[in-house]
Amino acid sequence: MFRHRSQPSRPLVSAPAETAVLSLLLAEGPLSRVELARRTGLSSTAVTKAARPLIDDGYLYELPPERTAPGAGRPVNPLAVAPDREYFVGLKISVDQVFGAVCDLRAGIRATAGRPLDACTPEAVAALVAELVDELLDADPAFRDRTRHLGVAVNGDVDRDSGRLRHSGLLGWRDVPLAELLAASTSLAVTVENDVRALTVAEHWFGEGIGTGYFALVTIGAGIGSALVVNGHLLRGAYGVAGEVGHICVDPAGPRCRCGARGCVEAIASTDVILATVRDAAANPRLTFDEVVEMAREGRPEAREAFARAGQAIGVGIAALVNLVGPERVVVSGEGVDAYDLFSRHIQEAYAAHAFGAASRCPLSLRPLPWEEWARGGAAVAIQALFPQPAATPTIGAG
């Protein structure tokens, strides 16, 4: 039985100055008050005023004094985040498993656990999540009393404001009040976000996107996902599908995509398509994706050509995104990037050939993504929920 814990009576930060100070320290601290003032545009007095309640509540602390330079005046006391002041549970829900992590205030992973999912129904997931969260919070005596928030990363069209999963083709769900269900089963305040967007929040706040105003993340797997940060904020667009690089058309005469269009990046480059293409070419319907990867590494032409075509499509799609938005960095990740050695050159070459002018200076980082990073994305969304959002994004809490 999950043991109830009290919910907070107010958000952690509400004033813009507190938000600016804490969010900068989370990503880039420790920093002196002088540096915080310079970076946020606040006065030194405003920084001190904003920091005081966060120090009093134990979220920030002062490091021992240090001199900024030889012969400088009074030593400064840099401010730092106390990462173990509060913990957050992050979850990644997939069609056959739920993976979870407890993260600290700076999204450092402190514990992980996973459970297989036998029945992929909302009710079965809610029951399994309650068990998994209980297991995670029992991993350390400090976790249970200091955890108030649960962040959930899930495939599909998510209305983050209401916590509803409007549609997930992968899970076969439509119009599910997921935040409400999980809040009832766990007694935590719940924030639900699309999995790729959650991962993008984690990278922007705590990873390769730190300090960028414009940032993009692309994931390669059973689908091709992407999300954009514009002017420091996650871009959703008027209809919630902004930045869908997977459905940029790169070949009007290409194969039919599951969205109904032809020649989408996803219709050429998803791991499912690569697998199906090589199975057909090799006349072997029992091949697994791992076997296809091994075939390509052994030099089998049907496999190498499938990866080359996929990499070219991804590179062209990323170039279109970079030309339109102009991010400072792009991270390419996902389970498909385990085969990065087969994709990388083709992605980079196609990107370089199609990126326009100075946009080609935007670096691409390609790296694999373990499952715990998806769960960390859920925790990052829960951490983000402590701050006022550009649009109202309330969490749903029990009790």
Side-chain angles (χ1 to χ4, degrees):
M1 176 67 69
F2 196 90
R3 296 185 285 280
H4 177 79
R5 67 195 63 74
S6 61
Q7 297 300 307
S9 59
R10 63 177 179 82
L12 176 57
V13 293
S14 55
E18 290 181 16
T19 298
V21 168
L22 182 56
S23 59
L24 187 57
L25 286 170
L26 280 173
E28 302 184 53
L31 296 168
S32 69
R33 288 173 175 80
V34 171
E35 182 65 9
L36 284 165
R38 186 186 71 80
R39 297 282 297 277
T40 61
L42 298 168
S43 68
S44 295
T45 300
V47 168
T48 297
K49 183 178 179 181
R52 177 47 53 193
L54 295 170
I55 294 172
D56 291 343
D57 287 343
Y59 287 91
L60 301 181
Y61 67 98
E62 291 184 318
L63 292 173
E66 62 181 34
R67 294 189 180 274
T68 57
R74 188 174 61 184
V76 299
N77 294 80
L79 290 174
V81 170
D84 57 355
R85 173 60 178 83
E86 185 161 357
Y87 297 103
F88 303 80
V89 176
L91 297 180
K92 162 63 174 170
I93 298 174
S94 68
V95 70
D96 57 1
Q97 68 173 337
V98 179
F99 201 91
V102 176
C103 293
D104 60 34
L105 192 53
R106 297 194 68 178
I109 296 175
R110 299 297 187 94
T112 60
R115 295 284 183 91
L117 184 58
D118 296 327
C120 188
T121 66
E123 294 75 19
V125 167
L128 185 68
V129 164
E131 296 175 3
L132 181 60
V133 169
D134 228 6
E135 177 185 343
L136 285 165
L137 295 185
D138 282 338
D140 188 294
F143 289 164
R144 192 170 293 277
D145 290 338
R146 299 184 194 175
T147 302
R148 303 178 294 156
H149 295 88
L150 167 64
V152 181
V154 62
N155 167 269
D157 180 7
V158 173
D159 180 354
R160 180 167 162 175
D161 291 354
S162 67
R164 299 185 80 86
L165 178 59
R166 290 184 287 220
H167 176 66
S168 174
L170 182 67
L171 299 177
W173 294 359
R174 186 177 293 276
D175 198 29
V176 174
L178 190 56
E180 183 178 334
L181 285 172
L182 298 185
S185 69
T186 66
S187 299
L188 295 172
V190 179
T191 304
V192 179
E193 182 59 279
N194 167 269
D195 51 3
V196 177
R197 287 183 178 154
L199 187 62
T200 303
V201 169
E203 282 296 317
H204 184 233
W205 280 45
F206 304 105
E208 292 195 37
I210 287 176
T212 61
Y214 294 80
F215 174 72
L217 181 136
V218 176
T219 57
I220 302 170
I224 305 296
S226 58
L228 294 168
V229 171
V230 173
N231 198 25
H233 300 298
L234 194 66
L235 182 67
R236 300 178 184 280
Y239 304 103
V241 293
E244 279 285 357
V245 72
H247 297 287
I248 292 175
C249 177
V250 295
D251 181 2
R256 183 77 67 181
C257 182
R258 62 180 175 178
C259 74
R262 282 195 176 276
C264 295
V265 174
E266 186 170 299
I268 299 168
S270 74
T271 53
D272 288 350
V273 170
I274 294 170
L275 177 58
T277 299
V278 179
R279 280 175 171 175
D280 287 345
N284 184 353
R286 296 184 177 181
L287 284 173
T288 66
F289 186 75
D290 287 343
E291 289 170 337
V292 167
V293 169
E294 191 59 33
M295 288 170 62
R297 288 177 178 155
E298 291 172 354
R300 295 277 296 274
E302 65 268 46
R304 293 192 70 84
E305 287 167 11
F307 279 103
R309 189 178 182 210
Q312 289 162 3
I314 294 166
V316 172
I318 293 173
L321 182 147
V322 168
N323 289 343
L324 285 169
V325 180
E328 297 160 65
R329 297 173 203 160
V330 177
V331 170
V332 183
S333 195
E335 59 268 28
V337 184
D338 287 338
Y340 70 95
D341 54 312
L342 304 173
F343 283 117
S344 179
R345 177 171 63 86
H346 304 289
I347 292 174
Q348 296 282 1
E349 288 178 354
Y351 170 67
H354 290 86
F356 176 73
S360 64
R361 296 205 301 264
C362 172
L364 304 185
S365 300
L366 276 74
R367 55 186 175 81
L369 181 73
W371 276 106
E372 55 263 29
E373 290 298 317
W374 289 103
R376 180 174 180 258
V381 168
I383 295 168
Q384 188 188 51
L386 298 177
F387 298 83
Q389 301 299 304
T393 54
T395 56
I396 297 174

